Amino acid sequence: MISFLHNRDFIYFFKKGLIDIKRCSRIVSVFITVLILLSSVLTSVYATVPETASEAAVLIDAKSKSVLYEKNSNEKLAPASTTKIMTLLLAAEYGKLDEKVTVNTSLLKDLPSDATIAYFQQGEITTVKDLFMAVYLISANDAAIILANHIGQSVDGFVNMMNEKAKKLGCDSTNFVNPTGLNDENQLTTVSDMAKMAEALYENQTARPLFSTLSYTISASPTRAQSFEMLLKNDLMTKTSESYYPSVTFGKTGYTDASKYTIAAIAQKDDTTLVSVSFCAASKQDMYGDVQKMLDYGFGDFYKLTISKAELEALFSGKRNEEIKVKDDIKLLIPSSVKRENLIKSVETSDGVAFVSVKGDGYNYSQKIADVVTKKGPSGFFGAILWFIKLIFKIIFYIIIIFV
């Protein structure tokens, strides 16, 4: 009411003791504090969709495969050293960490003089693990080529393996010509495809324990005068870096003049795993900043929705003699803008395959959950009775879901 008073009226009421300035100040201070706190809470809960500086970027929930954010995610671009994610994946699948490898430096004759290397020498006897760690930690190109030749029997043979594995992973927009990621106009992929490769490597049980290693030393040998220490080149996982992001548990960076800065990173918080990829950033700051923005968004602006195996099977409404056996619960990250009560869940079938569908407020998710199979059991009259009993249980289940 004070704001509506004229100056003379205010002075009059103040002299009469009808206005307590100190009390009004306290009220205003409390009001402003509440507004600031409320603004802070709303900002953290409803994080804005990130604005990324990279040419292409994608953020994917590893469990549901939902795309949480994307920008030019299907544009074919040069991957630079993120290529080595596929190199490491094949090494983990087909090699043994303690396998001995004899270095043949003639394989390295075409490496550019400024290429990052781990200084492997002719005739040096090393191991798959030494080579693997050199590729992962410092992106050593000599190690990638030696490893490729060992696993694929030749570098060309290994490149064929890379492309075959990419197809198996569903990376239809990917073409590899070398295991290093060094410049070649025909070496192209997308951030969406790279996310699939990064997740496959991260899930590999041979490789995964090695990603927590931040430093590694290749021992001195008759052909290596002194030991060679390697430190991880990834600021997201370096505690002393301004770009350090505690939830990141895996990352591979890259750079060439053609590709600019590229990165694939995986972060875990509680039971949520996010895969983020950024291609063609103008600077390291943009590259790391884009990943941080995407991860902040993924961890902060979504809520979890779990659809149990029992509910999925109850939602199935196939023919009387058909059924599905769901292996796992479905766990989704739903944008906060989508109201939980507006979500409609259903199980649909097509060509003998069952898909779960979740829709509402512009959200649309679909994923295969099981194959439809023909039930073995009584037919005829007794089969009809059994089907009717199951139908009653389904109805009861739906009632419980709706009203409890």
Coordinates of all heavy atoms in Angstrom, one line a residue, residues 33-95:
T33 N 14.9 -12.0 -0.6 CA 15.6 -13.3 -0.4 C 14.9 -14.5 -0.9 O 15.4 -15.4 -1.6 CB 15.9 -13.5 1.1 OG1 16.7 -12.4 1.6 CG2 16.7 -14.8 1.3
V34 N 13.5 -14.5 -0.7 CA 12.7 -15.6 -1.1 C 12.7 -15.6 -2.7 O 12.8 -16.7 -3.3 CB 11.2 -15.4 -0.6 CG1 10.3 -16.4 -1.3 CG2 11.2 -15.7 0.9
L35 N 12.6 -14.5 -3.3 CA 12.6 -14.4 -4.8 C 13.9 -15.0 -5.3 O 13.9 -15.7 -6.3 CB 12.4 -13.0 -5.3 CG 11.0 -12.4 -5.2 CD1 11.0 -11.0 -5.7 CD2 10.1 -13.2 -6.0
I36 N 15.1 -14.6 -4.7 CA 16.4 -15.1 -5.2 C 16.4 -16.6 -5.0 O 16.9 -17.3 -5.9 CB 17.5 -14.4 -4.4 CG1 17.6 -13.0 -4.7 CG2 18.8 -15.1 -4.7 CD1 18.5 -12.2 -3.9
L37 N 16.0 -17.2 -3.8 CA 16.1 -18.6 -3.6 C 15.2 -19.3 -4.6 O 15.5 -20.4 -5.1 CB 15.7 -18.9 -2.2 CG 16.7 -18.5 -1.1 CD1 16.1 -18.7 0.3 CD2 18.0 -19.3 -1.3
L38 N 14.0 -18.8 -4.8 CA 13.0 -19.4 -5.7 C 13.6 -19.5 -7.1 O 13.5 -20.5 -7.8 CB 11.7 -18.7 -5.7 CG 10.5 -19.3 -6.5 CD1 10.2 -20.7 -6.1 CD2 9.3 -18.4 -6.4
S39 N 14.2 -18.3 -7.5 CA 14.8 -18.3 -8.9 C 15.9 -19.3 -9.0 O 16.0 -20.0 -10.0 CB 15.4 -16.9 -9.1 OG 16.1 -16.8 -10.3
S40 N 16.7 -19.5 -8.0 CA 17.8 -20.4 -8.0 C 17.3 -21.9 -8.1 O 17.8 -22.7 -8.9 CB 18.7 -20.3 -6.7 OG 19.6 -21.3 -6.7
V41 N 16.3 -22.2 -7.3 CA 15.7 -23.5 -7.4 C 15.1 -23.8 -8.8 O 15.3 -24.9 -9.3 CB 14.6 -23.7 -6.3 CG1 13.8 -25.0 -6.5 CG2 15.2 -23.7 -4.9
L42 N 14.3 -22.9 -9.3 CA 13.7 -23.1 -10.6 C 14.8 -23.2 -11.7 O 14.6 -24.0 -12.6 CB 12.8 -21.9 -10.9 CG 11.5 -21.8 -10.1 CD1 10.7 -20.5 -10.4 CD2 10.6 -23.0 -10.3
T43 N 15.9 -22.5 -11.6 CA 16.9 -22.6 -12.6 C 17.6 -24.0 -12.5 O 17.8 -24.6 -13.6 CB 18.0 -21.5 -12.3 OG1 17.4 -20.2 -12.4 CG2 19.1 -21.6 -13.4
S44 N 17.8 -24.5 -11.3 CA 18.4 -25.8 -11.2 C 17.5 -27.0 -11.7 O 17.9 -28.0 -12.2 CB 18.9 -26.1 -9.8 OG 17.8 -26.1 -8.9
V45 N 16.2 -26.8 -11.4 CA 15.3 -27.9 -11.7 C 14.9 -27.9 -13.2 O 14.8 -28.9 -13.9 CB 14.0 -27.8 -10.8 CG1 13.0 -28.8 -11.3 CG2 14.4 -28.0 -9.4
Y46 N 14.7 -26.7 -13.7 CA 14.3 -26.5 -15.1 C 15.5 -25.9 -15.9 O 15.4 -24.8 -16.3 CB 13.0 -25.7 -15.2 CG 11.9 -26.4 -14.6 CD1 11.4 -25.9 -13.3 CD2 11.2 -27.4 -15.2 CE1 10.3 -26.6 -12.7 CE2 10.1 -28.1 -14.5 CZ 9.7 -27.6 -13.3 OH 8.6 -28.2 -12.7
A47 N 16.5 -26.7 -16.1 CA 17.7 -26.2 -16.8 C 17.2 -26.0 -18.3 O 16.5 -26.7 -18.9 CB 18.8 -27.2 -16.8
T48 N 17.7 -24.9 -18.9 CA 17.4 -24.6 -20.2 C 18.1 -25.5 -21.2 O 19.1 -26.1 -20.9 CB 17.8 -23.1 -20.6 OG1 19.2 -23.0 -20.3 CG2 17.0 -22.1 -19.7
V49 N 17.5 -25.7 -22.4 CA 18.1 -26.6 -23.4 C 19.4 -25.9 -23.8 O 19.5 -24.7 -24.1 CB 17.2 -26.7 -24.6 CG1 17.8 -27.5 -25.7 CG2 15.8 -27.4 -24.2
P50 N 20.5 -26.7 -23.8 CA 21.8 -26.1 -24.0 C 22.0 -25.5 -25.4 O 21.4 -26.1 -26.4 CB 22.8 -27.3 -23.8 CG 21.9 -28.5 -24.0 CD 20.6 -28.2 -23.6
E51 N 22.7 -24.5 -25.5 CA 23.1 -23.9 -26.8 C 24.6 -24.3 -27.0 O 25.5 -23.7 -26.3 CB 22.9 -22.4 -26.8 CG 21.5 -21.9 -26.7 CD 21.4 -20.4 -26.8 OE1 22.4 -19.8 -27.1 OE2 20.2 -19.9 -26.7
T52 N 24.8 -25.2 -27.9 CA 26.2 -25.7 -28.1 C 26.9 -24.9 -29.3 O 26.2 -24.5 -30.2 CB 26.1 -27.2 -28.5 OG1 25.2 -27.5 -29.5 CG2 25.7 -28.0 -27.2
A53 N 28.2 -24.8 -29.1 CA 29.0 -24.1 -30.1 C 29.5 -25.0 -31.2 O 29.8 -24.5 -32.3 CB 30.1 -23.4 -29.4
S54 N 29.5 -26.3 -31.0 CA 30.1 -27.2 -32.0 C 29.1 -27.3 -33.2 O 28.0 -27.0 -33.1 CB 30.2 -28.6 -31.3 OG 31.0 -28.5 -30.1
E55 N 29.7 -27.8 -34.3 CA 28.9 -28.0 -35.5 C 27.9 -29.0 -35.3 O 26.8 -28.9 -35.8 CB 29.9 -28.4 -36.7 CG 29.2 -28.8 -37.9 CD 28.5 -27.6 -38.6 OE1 28.9 -26.5 -38.4 OE2 27.6 -27.9 -39.4
A56 N 28.2 -30.1 -34.5 CA 27.3 -31.2 -34.3 C 27.5 -31.7 -32.9 O 28.6 -31.7 -32.4 CB 27.5 -32.3 -35.3
A57 N 26.4 -32.1 -32.2 CA 26.4 -32.6 -30.9 C 25.2 -33.5 -30.6 O 24.2 -33.3 -31.2 CB 26.5 -31.4 -29.9
V58 N 25.4 -34.4 -29.7 CA 24.3 -35.3 -29.3 C 24.5 -35.7 -27.8 O 25.6 -35.9 -27.3 CB 24.2 -36.5 -30.2 CG1 25.3 -37.5 -29.9 CG2 22.9 -37.2 -30.1
L59 N 23.4 -35.9 -27.1 CA 23.4 -36.4 -25.8 C 22.4 -37.6 -25.7 O 21.2 -37.4 -26.1 CB 23.0 -35.3 -24.8 CG 22.9 -35.8 -23.3 CD1 24.2 -36.1 -22.7 CD2 22.2 -34.7 -22.5
I60 N 22.8 -38.7 -25.3 CA 22.0 -39.9 -25.3 C 21.9 -40.6 -23.9 O 23.0 -40.7 -23.2 CB 22.5 -40.9 -26.3 CG1 22.3 -40.3 -27.7 CG2 21.7 -42.3 -26.3 CD1 22.9 -41.2 -28.8
D61 N 20.8 -41.0 -23.5 CA 20.6 -41.8 -22.3 C 21.0 -43.2 -22.6 O 20.3 -43.9 -23.4 CB 19.2 -41.7 -21.7 CG 18.9 -42.7 -20.6 OD1 19.8 -42.9 -19.8 OD2 17.8 -43.3 -20.5
A62 N 22.0 -43.8 -22.0 CA 22.6 -45.1 -22.4 C 21.6 -46.2 -22.2 O 21.5 -47.2 -23.0 CB 23.8 -45.4 -21.6
K63 N 20.8 -46.1 -21.1 CA 19.8 -47.3 -20.8 C 18.7 -47.3 -21.8 O 18.3 -48.4 -22.3 CB 19.3 -47.1 -19.4 CG 20.4 -47.5 -18.4 CD 19.8 -47.5 -17.0 CE 20.9 -47.8 -16.0 NZ 20.4 -47.8 -14.6
S64 N 18.0 -46.2 -22.1 CA 16.8 -46.2 -22.9 C 17.2 -45.9 -24.4 O 16.3 -46.1 -25.2 CB 15.8 -45.2 -22.4 OG 16.3 -43.9 -22.6
K65 N 18.4 -45.5 -24.7 CA 18.8 -45.0 -26.0 C 18.1 -43.8 -26.4 O 18.1 -43.4 -27.6 CB 18.7 -46.1 -27.0 CG 19.2 -47.5 -26.6 CD 20.6 -47.5 -26.2 CE 21.1 -48.9 -25.8 NZ 22.4 -48.8 -25.1
S66 N 17.4 -43.1 -25.5 CA 16.7 -41.9 -25.9 C 17.7 -40.8 -26.2 O 18.7 -40.6 -25.5 CB 15.8 -41.4 -24.7 OG 14.8 -42.4 -24.4
V67 N 17.4 -40.0 -27.2 CA 18.2 -38.8 -27.6 C 17.6 -37.7 -26.8 O 16.5 -37.2 -27.0 CB 18.1 -38.5 -29.1 CG1 18.8 -37.2 -29.4 CG2 18.6 -39.7 -29.9
L68 N 18.4 -37.1 -25.8 CA 18.0 -36.1 -24.9 C 18.3 -34.7 -25.5 O 17.6 -33.7 -25.2 CB 18.7 -36.2 -23.6 CG 18.6 -37.6 -22.9 CD1 19.3 -37.5 -21.5 CD2 17.2 -38.0 -22.7
Y69 N 19.3 -34.7 -26.4 CA 19.6 -33.4 -27.1 C 20.4 -33.8 -28.4 O 21.1 -34.7 -28.4 CB 20.5 -32.5 -26.2 CG 21.1 -31.3 -27.0 CD1 20.4 -30.2 -27.1 CD2 22.4 -31.4 -27.6 CE1 20.9 -29.1 -27.8 CE2 22.9 -30.3 -28.3 CZ 22.1 -29.2 -28.4 OH 22.6 -28.1 -29.1
E70 N 20.1 -33.0 -29.4 CA 20.9 -33.2 -30.7 C 21.0 -32.0 -31.5 O 20.1 -31.1 -31.5 CB 20.2 -34.4 -31.5 CG 18.9 -34.0 -32.2 CD 19.1 -33.4 -33.5 OE1 20.1 -33.6 -34.2 OE2 18.1 -32.7 -34.0
K71 N 22.1 -31.9 -32.2 CA 22.3 -30.7 -33.1 C 23.1 -31.3 -34.3 O 24.2 -31.8 -34.1 CB 23.1 -29.6 -32.4 CG 23.5 -28.5 -33.4 CD 24.4 -27.5 -32.6 CE 24.8 -26.4 -33.5 NZ 25.7 -25.4 -32.8
N72 N 22.5 -31.3 -35.4 CA 23.1 -31.9 -36.7 C 23.7 -33.3 -36.4 O 24.8 -33.6 -36.8 CB 24.2 -30.9 -37.1 CG 23.7 -29.5 -37.5 OD1 22.6 -29.4 -38.0 ND2 24.5 -28.5 -37.2
S73 N 22.9 -34.1 -35.7 CA 23.4 -35.4 -35.2 C 23.7 -36.4 -36.3 O 24.4 -37.4 -36.1 CB 22.5 -36.0 -34.2 OG 21.2 -36.2 -34.7
N74 N 23.1 -36.2 -37.5 CA 23.3 -37.1 -38.6 C 24.2 -36.5 -39.7 O 24.3 -37.0 -40.8 CB 22.0 -37.5 -39.2 CG 21.2 -38.3 -38.2 OD1 21.7 -39.3 -37.6 ND2 19.9 -38.0 -38.0
E75 N 24.9 -35.4 -39.4 CA 25.8 -34.8 -40.4 C 27.1 -35.5 -40.4 O 27.7 -35.7 -39.3 CB 26.0 -33.3 -40.0 CG 26.9 -32.6 -41.0 CD 27.1 -31.1 -40.7 OE1 26.5 -30.6 -39.7 OE2 27.9 -30.5 -41.3
K76 N 27.6 -35.9 -41.6 CA 28.8 -36.6 -41.7 C 30.0 -35.6 -41.5 O 30.1 -34.7 -42.3 CB 28.9 -37.4 -43.0 CG 27.9 -38.5 -43.1 CD 28.1 -39.3 -44.4 CE 27.1 -40.4 -44.6 NZ 27.3 -41.1 -45.8
L77 N 30.9 -35.9 -40.6 CA 32.0 -35.0 -40.3 C 33.3 -35.9 -40.0 O 33.2 -37.1 -39.7 CB 31.7 -34.2 -39.1 CG 30.6 -33.1 -39.2 CD1 30.2 -32.6 -37.9 CD2 31.0 -32.0 -40.2
A78 N 34.4 -35.2 -40.1 CA 35.7 -35.9 -39.7 C 35.8 -36.1 -38.2 O 35.6 -35.2 -37.5 CB 36.8 -35.1 -40.2
P79 N 36.0 -37.4 -37.8 CA 36.0 -37.6 -36.3 C 37.3 -37.4 -35.6 O 37.4 -37.4 -34.4 CB 35.7 -39.1 -36.3 CG 36.2 -39.7 -37.6 CD 36.1 -38.6 -38.6
A80 N 38.4 -37.2 -36.4 CA 39.8 -37.1 -35.8 C 40.1 -38.3 -34.9 O 39.7 -39.4 -35.2 CB 39.9 -35.7 -35.0
S81 N 40.7 -38.0 -33.7 CA 41.1 -39.2 -32.9 C 40.0 -39.9 -32.2 O 40.3 -40.9 -31.5 CB 42.2 -38.7 -32.0 OG 43.4 -38.6 -32.6
T82 N 38.8 -39.4 -32.2 CA 37.7 -40.2 -31.7 C 37.6 -41.5 -32.5 O 36.9 -42.5 -32.0 CB 36.3 -39.5 -31.6 OG1 36.0 -39.0 -33.0 CG2 36.4 -38.3 -30.7
T83 N 38.1 -41.5 -33.7 CA 38.3 -42.8 -34.4 C 38.8 -43.9 -33.6 O 38.4 -45.1 -33.7 CB 39.2 -42.5 -35.7 OG1 38.6 -41.6 -36.6 CG2 39.5 -43.8 -36.4
K84 N 39.8 -43.5 -32.7 CA 40.5 -44.5 -31.9 C 39.6 -45.3 -30.9 O 40.0 -46.3 -30.4 CB 41.7 -43.9 -31.2 CG 42.7 -43.3 -32.2 CD 43.9 -42.8 -31.4 CE 45.0 -42.3 -32.3 NZ 44.9 -40.9 -32.8
I85 N 38.4 -44.7 -30.8 CA 37.4 -45.5 -29.9 C 37.1 -46.8 -30.6 O 37.0 -47.9 -29.9 CB 36.1 -44.6 -29.8 CG1 36.3 -43.5 -28.8 CG2 34.9 -45.5 -29.3 CD1 35.2 -42.5 -28.7
M86 N 36.9 -46.8 -31.9 CA 36.7 -48.1 -32.6 C 38.0 -49.0 -32.6 O 37.9 -50.2 -32.4 CB 36.3 -47.9 -34.0 CG 36.1 -49.1 -34.9 SD 34.8 -50.2 -34.2 CE 33.3 -49.5 -34.8
T87 N 39.2 -48.3 -32.7 CA 40.4 -49.1 -32.6 C 40.6 -49.8 -31.3 O 40.9 -51.0 -31.2 CB 41.6 -48.1 -32.8 OG1 41.4 -47.4 -34.1 CG2 42.9 -48.8 -32.8
L88 N 40.2 -49.1 -30.2 CA 40.3 -49.6 -28.9 C 39.3 -50.7 -28.7 O 39.5 -51.8 -28.0 CB 40.1 -48.5 -27.8 CG 41.2 -47.5 -27.7 CD1 40.9 -46.4 -26.8 CD2 42.6 -48.2 -27.3
L89 N 38.1 -50.5 -29.2 CA 37.0 -51.5 -29.1 C 37.4 -52.9 -29.7 O 37.3 -53.9 -29.1 CB 35.7 -51.0 -29.7 CG 34.6 -52.0 -29.8 CD1 34.2 -52.5 -28.4 CD2 33.4 -51.4 -30.5
L90 N 38.0 -52.8 -30.9 CA 38.4 -54.1 -31.6 C 39.6 -54.7 -30.9 O 39.7 -55.9 -30.8 CB 38.7 -53.8 -33.0 CG 37.5 -53.4 -33.9 CD1 38.0 -53.1 -35.3 CD2 36.5 -54.5 -34.0
A91 N 40.5 -53.9 -30.3 CA 41.6 -54.4 -29.6 C 41.1 -55.1 -28.3 O 41.7 -56.2 -28.0 CB 42.6 -53.3 -29.2
A92 N 40.1 -54.6 -27.7 CA 39.6 -55.2 -26.5 C 38.8 -56.5 -26.8 O 38.8 -57.4 -26.0 CB 38.7 -54.2 -25.7
E93 N 38.2 -56.5 -27.9 CA 37.4 -57.7 -28.3 C 38.3 -58.8 -28.8 O 38.0 -60.0 -28.6 CB 36.4 -57.3 -29.4 CG 35.2 -56.5 -28.8 CD 34.1 -56.3 -29.9 OE1 34.4 -56.5 -31.1 OE2 33.0 -55.8 -29.5
Y94 N 39.3 -58.5 -29.6 CA 40.1 -59.6 -30.2 C 41.5 -59.8 -29.7 O 42.2 -60.8 -30.0 CB 40.2 -59.3 -31.7 CG 38.9 -59.4 -32.5 CD1 38.1 -58.2 -32.7 CD2 38.4 -60.6 -32.9 CE1 36.9 -58.3 -33.4 CE2 37.2 -60.7 -33.5 CZ 36.4 -59.5 -33.8 OH 35.2 -59.6 -34.4
G95 N 41.9 -58.9 -28.8 CA 43.3 -59.1 -28.2 C 43.2 -59.4 -26.8 O 42.2 -59.3 -26.1

